[in-house]
Amino acid sequence: MTIHRPGRPEDLPEAGLLWARWAALAAATWNAEEEKERFRFGYWLGEGGGDLHYDDGSCSRWVLARADGGRAVLFGQDDAGRVTRYEPPVDLLAGAPGWVHDEVRHDLPERGRVECVYWFEDGSWHRAPYPDDLQDDGLDCGMGHLASRDDTVGAIFELFGFDHDCEGALEACERFVEHAERGTVTGESVRSFADAVFRIQTEYELLWPKAPIPRPETDLAAMTALARRR
């Protein structure tokens, strides 16, 4: 799926599918030590379980928050965006219902500036109108790796430092994301993925994020719960 610059509402997958892919990345990279950190990078489930976060540690920070009735709001920023540099200022909440205002403002103290807001309601994504000459809102650079299943598989594949010489790596990532999308994640499917990652990291001497060790049962349980959260 192509994300335009600036993004268009139809560029984004349905909110439940976006959540499933995001949660798959958070589960695949789950780390017990990082769960204790207030300020962190990567992908994680927010306190209370109602939102997912992504921070690349450099130029991209995003939140996907769910609301009642299958609604959701995606907001954040990427340094590729040109919204805050546009004059006159763009009102990112123009036309947004009140619940969107509440979700975005609630998280502002933790997330810093917001340069991109999309909301999902009645089965479709929406955003405020943009000026015709706005070049980019950062959606492509920030969310492009979640636009399709292949993109998400590729993101997990790269995060673990795999390459196409790593036998079984792509297939393991594909199966994991497919289970997340379909809502068929089980403890066994998570264990299979974690075991494949450990085998490949060991066999090919991949030391990311550190020397590979088998996932303990507590990790597997947390990964399963996160990937299954709908």
Side-chain angles (χ1 to χ4, degrees), residues 171-217:
E171 292 80 3
C173 295
E174 287 173 339
R175 285 193 299 270
F176 189 69
V177 174
E178 183 176 356
H179 277 300
E181 286 189 353
R182 293 183 176 180
T184 57
V185 172
T186 63
E188 184 56 38
S189 64
V190 171
R191 182 185 300 276
S192 176
F193 172 74
D195 287 350
V197 169
F198 174 67
R199 176 190 64 79
I200 295 163
Q201 287 182 321
T202 302
E203 182 176 344
Y204 292 91
E205 299 182 344
L206 304 177
L207 303 181
W208 184 98
K210 55 187 176 182
I213 57 173
R215 287 279 195 173
E217 292 297 325

Side-chain angles (χ1 to χ4, degrees), residues 32-113:
E33 289 301 315
E34 289 178 357
E35 289 297 308
K36 303 172 185 177
E37 301 293 333
R38 181 180 178 187
F39 299 103
R40 55 186 296 185
F41 306 132
Y43 305 83
W44 70 96
L45 185 68
E47 186 176 349
D51 50 25
L52 286 165
H53 297 250
Y54 166 53
D55 190 327
D56 74 348
S58 175
C59 62
S60 207
R61 289 157 291 277
W62 298 84
V63 176
L64 176 62
R66 296 186 297 186
D68 294 338
R71 299 173 299 173
V73 57
L74 169 70
F75 59 96
Q77 66 91 211
D78 187 280
D79 285 357
R82 296 292 182 269
V83 175
T84 57
R85 292 170 244 184
Y86 192 89
E87 292 293 340
V90 179
D91 181 1
L92 293 173
L93 295 176
W99 67 270
V100 174
H101 291 248
D102 293 341
E103 288 288 349
V104 174
R105 287 171 181 161
H106 172 74
D107 215 51
L108 274 176
E110 290 291 329
R111 304 303 300 168
R113 72 181 188 267

Side-chain angles (χ1 to χ4, degrees), residues 92-147:
L92 293 173
L93 295 176
W99 67 270
V100 174
H101 291 248
D102 293 341
E103 288 288 349
V104 174
R105 287 171 181 161
H106 172 74
D107 215 51
L108 274 176
E110 290 291 329
R111 304 303 300 168
R113 72 181 188 267
V114 171
E115 300 182 10
C116 190
V117 179
Y118 287 73
W119 61 93
F120 188 83
E121 190 171 43
D122 297 328
S124 300
W125 286 102
H126 311 269
R127 65 157 167 77
Y130 286 164
D132 291 340
D133 59 346
L134 178 68
Q135 295 179 346
D136 198 348
D137 65 353
L139 187 72
D140 183 26
C141 288
M143 291 285 106
H145 62 296
L146 296 171

